[in-house]
Structures are given as structure tokens and as C-alpha cells.
Amino acid sequence: MIALDLVIVTYNRLEKLKKTIQHYESQTVGFRNLIVVNNCSTDGTNDYLKQLPVALYKNGEKKCNIIIINTKENIGGSGGFYIGEKKAMDLKADWVFVADDDAYADSSMVEEFYKFIESHDTNRIAAVCAKVLNTDGNICLYHRDTHKIIDKEYMRFHSREEDYSKDFFSIDDLSYVGSFMNAKALRKVGLVNPDYFIYFDDSEHSIRLKKYGNILVVPSIKIVHEGGAESTSDDILVSWRDFYMIRNTTHMLLKHYPSVAIYKIYEQFRSDFHVFRTRTNLSEHAKMIRSATWSAFLGRLGKHKIYKPGWFIKK
């Protein structure tokens, strides 16, 4: 029997979490563990998780054991997924699945995954990914990407709708929505980097996973992603999220494509030299960009002491 553990990270989205867990309870076949990492929620999630049983059952049939992990602070999506993945690996999982708390698995998702890996040689498969759908039923193409280096630029391309008519197809970049990762690959290339906090943690992990083997999308495996819980006000010019996007993309490129990263940093500082030449002339926006870039260059990851959730600049 395959030891499959599913990891969910949640933060202050209790109603979506309840719906998500119902979808795992409704799976047509069972799996080993559902690992829920509660990222220090403040909306009643703690109380809800306390009353959950130690296992989920449907019509008297056991679907999975439930493991709850509560963090002492919000360590971001990357930190939460790292903890969940590590728990699964410590429990000797064969495959580790990851998804958000607003991703609703099709009732046959686990069954279709089993069918695929039982009929294919998985020794050189690093990950198997579900088809991600919007709540309106359309395919979310941006969750499954390829990338290329073109003219010293890192270019990403979304999967194509016609790809989903195939039994499976290969990609370079998975998202942490409905992805099954081979424990053999995780032991070889490592877990997600917990210090990214949010953004591009799955992209950086994908590059390492590809060094082990293929990342495949199997359209018969399906999950619905509600997504977009947080919205940005029209009067906000830049927010804390932009810091992590700049820092993490730059760090990822420095690690895996250093010549591309150095060229990008050079071009950025050359074009903004008139802004960066004196500290007194720096706008708050420019300071944030410089801080994010230097943080990446120096390997200073984790949650920034200034650019934390809640920081923003208005237009």
C-alpha cells in the first residue's frame, strides 16, 4: 500500500478550510494521513481543529488519519509547507501532496493518482500534478508552467489548454496547489525552502525537483482552486507582498541561473542609478526594491523586520 500523506496549510480562512476537509473526507479511496498546518490563525481555526476526530470516515469507511500541527507564529506559506512536508517525511511517506486551504479536491482525485502511479514507472518522476480548475470550471493554466532563458531573461510560459487533452504532459514549474511529490525526489533535492515566507517557494522547489526527474501533469486528476482571498486596494502603490516577490525571484535566479540574476540586478541598478545614488533621494518604494534585491544577494531570507504583512505605500 502506498503511504500517501496530504499536507494543507491554513491561515485565517476557517470556512474554506472546513469545505476543503469535507472534500478530502469524500474521497472515493483512502490515504494515510491528512496533515493540517495551522499557521497561527486567529479566526477560530484552533477551536475547530481541536474538535476534529483523529481520523476521517465516510459511510463507515476510514479515509485517513488527521494530524494537526499548530505554529507559534505565522511563518508564511513556505514555512508551513516545510513543516508539513517534514512531518510526512519523518513518517516515511512514499508521496507527499500539497495544497492550499481553498483548494477543493475532486472526489476521485486520490483514486486517479493511484491509478496513474500504479500503471507507470515512477522512479524518475519527481512530481505528479493535478489539473487545476477555477470555480467556474475553466482550467487555471498558470498553475503549471514551463520556463526558458531567452536573451539573458528568465521567461515563463503557462501550460496550454490543448495539453490537457493528453493523458499526461511534462512541465518545469508546479504550484503548491494539487501536487503530489515523490519522497525519493524530496530526499534527494530537499524540501521547500521555509525561509521564502511567501511567493516563488514552489517555483524554486520545482527547479530542484526537475533535477531528480520529470514533473508531470495528469488531467484526470482534478482539483478546484478558489484562490484570490486577499485583494489589494486601488489606492495602494506597493505592499509587503512586492518585497517577497522581488527578493525571492532574485534569490531563486541567483541560486539556479546566476548569470541571469547578475544581469537583471545590473540592469535594474543602472536604470535606477539616479534614484539610488544618494540615500536622501530614495523614495520608500525605491528603498523597498533595493532592500529586496540586496537581501536576495546576501541570502537574507525569512520574514523582514520592516516589510511584514500590513506594510504598504499608498499612491
Side-chain angles (χ1 to χ4, degrees), residues 37-86:
V37 181
N38 174 25
N39 222 341
C40 205
S41 296
T42 59
D43 64 344
T45 294
N46 288 7
D47 293 334
Y48 166 71
L49 292 175
K50 284 178 183 177
Q51 58 85 36
L52 281 179
V54 296
L56 291 180
Y57 290 83
K58 189 70 171 179
N59 299 325
E61 179 185 352
K62 183 178 178 180
K63 294 302 177 183
C64 65
N65 299 312
I66 296 182
I67 298 173
I68 307 298
I69 301 174
N70 294 297
T71 65
K72 295 181 179 179
E73 63 174 310
N74 181 358
I75 55 177
S78 61
F81 280 117
Y82 175 84
I83 287 176
E85 291 170 13
K86 186 175 186 305

Side-chain angles (χ1 to χ4, degrees), residues 4-6 21 24-27 29-36 53-58 61-67 110 114:
L4 170 63
D5 289 353
L6 278 57
I21 289 178
Y24 293 118
E25 182 181 31
S26 298
Q27 290 299 299
V29 297
F31 50 97
R32 190 175 70 161
N33 295 314
L34 178 63
I35 301 171
V36 182
V54 296
L56 291 180
Y57 290 83
K58 189 70 171 179
E61 179 185 352
K62 183 178 178 180
K63 294 302 177 183
C64 65
N65 299 312
I66 296 182
I67 298 173
V110 172
Y114 285 157

